[in-house]
Amino acid sequence: MVQLWIVIGLALSAVAVSCLGATFSILGLGKLFSGAVLAVWLMAGALELAKFVVAAYLHQTWTSVGKIFRAYLVICVVVLSAITSMGIFGFLSDAYSTSSATLESEDIKLQRLQSELAMTNAEVARITHSVDEIPDARITKKLKARADAEPAIRDLKNKISNIDQQIANAKINIISVKQKVGPLIYISKAFNMDIDTVVKYLILVFVSVFDPLAICLVIALSDALIKRARKESQPEETMTVSAESVPAEEVIASLKMSFDDETPESANRGTGS
C-alpha cells in the first residue's frame, strides 16, 4: 500500500507544480495575445483545468472508455500540454527580454554619450588649437582671441562634466542590470555561446519538464488514491468471503464429531456413579 505521507506529498507537489505551470502559461499566453488579454486568460484557465481533469479521468477509465474517444482525449491532453509549454516559454522569454532590452538601451545610451564626449573634446581642442596658431608676435590679437574663446571653452567643459556624470550613471545602470543576468553571462562565457542561445536552451529545459511533470503528478496521485482505497477495503472483503465460503455440511460434521466425542465420557461418568 502507498504510504500516507507519499500521497500527501504527491497531492502537494501536484497542486504546486500544476498551479504554477498554469499561472505562468496563462500570463505568458496573455503576453503573446495582448490584444485580448482577459479573454485569453479565461480560455487558458479553463483549458488548464480541463487538461488535468481529463488526464486523471483517462487514468481511471483507460480500459472502459472507447478507443476513439480515448484517442481523442489523449490528443487533447498532448495539444493542451504543448499550449501550456508555449505559454511558459513566452512568460520566461518575456522576463529575460525585459532585462535584455534594458541592457541594450543602456549600452546604446553609453555609446551615444561617449561619442558626444569625444566630439565635445574635439571641439575644445579645435578652439584651443585655433588660438595657439596665432603667432606670439601678434600678442594683442592672440589675447583677444583667447578671451573670446574662454566662454565657449568654459561651456564646453561644463558640458563635458555633465556628459561624464551621465556616462557614470549609465555604467552603474549597466552593472545593475548585469547583476540580474550575471549567471547567464557567466554560463554563456563558460560554454562560449551567445547569451540569447543560452537563455533559449535553459527555457526549453524548463518547458520540457514543467507541464509533463505536472500531468504525471496528477496521474500518480490518482493511482495512489485508488490503491489506498483498494487496500483499505480488502481486509473486510477477505473476512466476508472466508465466512461465507465455509459450507454448511462441514459445520454440521464438525458439530457431530464433537458430540460423538463427548458421549462416551458422559456414559463412563454414569457407570462410575
Side-chain angles (χ1 to χ4, degrees):
M1 183 176 66
V2 181
Q3 298 290 331
L4 180 60
W5 69 270
I6 296 180
V7 176
I8 296 174
L10 285 173
L12 294 176
S13 300
V15 171
V17 177
S18 302
C19 291
L20 286 176
T23 302
F24 293 161
S25 175
I26 291 171
L27 293 177
L29 290 174
K31 293 180 182 298
L32 292 176
F33 303 97
S34 57
V37 177
L38 182 60
V40 172
W41 284 354
L42 294 175
M43 180 186 66
L47 291 177
E48 288 291 332
L49 177 62
K51 178 185 64 180
F52 294 116
V53 173
V54 169
Y57 171 77
L58 281 174
H59 172 259
Q60 295 187 10
T61 61
W62 183 262
T63 57
S64 60
V65 72
K67 293 183 178 179
I68 298 177
F69 185 56
R70 182 175 61 196
Y72 172 74
L73 291 180
V74 170
I75 294 173
C76 287
V77 171
V78 173
V79 173
L80 289 175
S81 179
I83 294 174
T84 301
S85 300
M86 181 179 64
I88 295 174
F89 190 94
F91 178 80
L92 294 177
S93 61
D94 179 74
Y96 164 72
S97 63
T98 301
S99 299
S100 178
T102 303
L103 183 60
E104 289 179 0
S105 64
E106 291 296 332
D107 283 334
I108 294 173
K109 180 180 178 181
L110 179 60
Q111 292 175 6
R112 181 183 61 80
L113 290 173
Q114 289 175 344
S115 177
E116 187 176 354
L117 178 62
M119 292 174 61
T120 306
N121 285 325
E123 182 66 16
V124 172
R126 186 189 66 77
I127 295 174
T128 304
H129 182 68
S130 64
V131 173
D132 292 338
E133 281 184 343
I134 300 175
D136 293 339
R138 305 180 66 180
I139 187 64
T140 305
K141 182 178 181 181
K142 189 170 186 176
L143 290 175
K144 185 177 182 304
R146 182 170 294 172
D148 293 339
E150 281 181 359
I153 293 175
R154 191 183 308 113
D155 292 340
L156 290 173
K157 286 185 176 180
N158 291 334
K159 184 178 180 181
I160 290 172
S161 178
N162 186 24
I163 294 174
D164 285 335
Q165 184 62 38
Q166 293 181 25
I167 289 175
N169 293 333
K171 288 182 178 180
I172 292 173
N173 292 333
I174 290 174
I175 293 174
S176 177
V177 175
K178 282 186 175 180
Q179 287 179 347
K180 298 179 181 179
V181 294
L184 296 175
I185 296 174
Y186 175 77
I187 294 173
S188 64
K189 290 181 179 179
F191 290 95
N192 195 20
M193 298 171 62
D194 182 66
I195 187 172
D196 292 336
T197 304
V198 171
V199 172
K200 179 181 68 175
Y201 286 135
L202 286 177
I203 293 177
L204 288 176
V205 170
F206 279 116
V207 167
S208 63
V209 174
F210 218 128
D211 197 59
L213 177 61
I215 296 175
C216 290
L217 285 173
V218 171
I219 295 174
L221 176 61
S222 175
D223 183 67
L225 292 174
I226 292 174
K227 288 181 178 178
R228 281 191 62 86
R230 191 176 299 165
K231 188 68 177 180
E232 290 175 357
S233 61
Q234 186 174 359
E236 298 179 358
E237 294 177 357
T238 303
M239 293 177 60
T240 304
V241 171
S242 60
E244 293 178 354
S245 61
V246 179
E249 292 80 1
E250 293 184 5
V251 176
I252 296 173
S254 176
L255 293 174
K256 185 176 180 182
M257 289 178 63
S258 62
F259 179 76
D260 292 341
D261 292 339
E262 292 177 357
T263 302
E265 294 180 359
S266 60
N268 290 334
R269 288 191 191 128
T271 305
S273 62

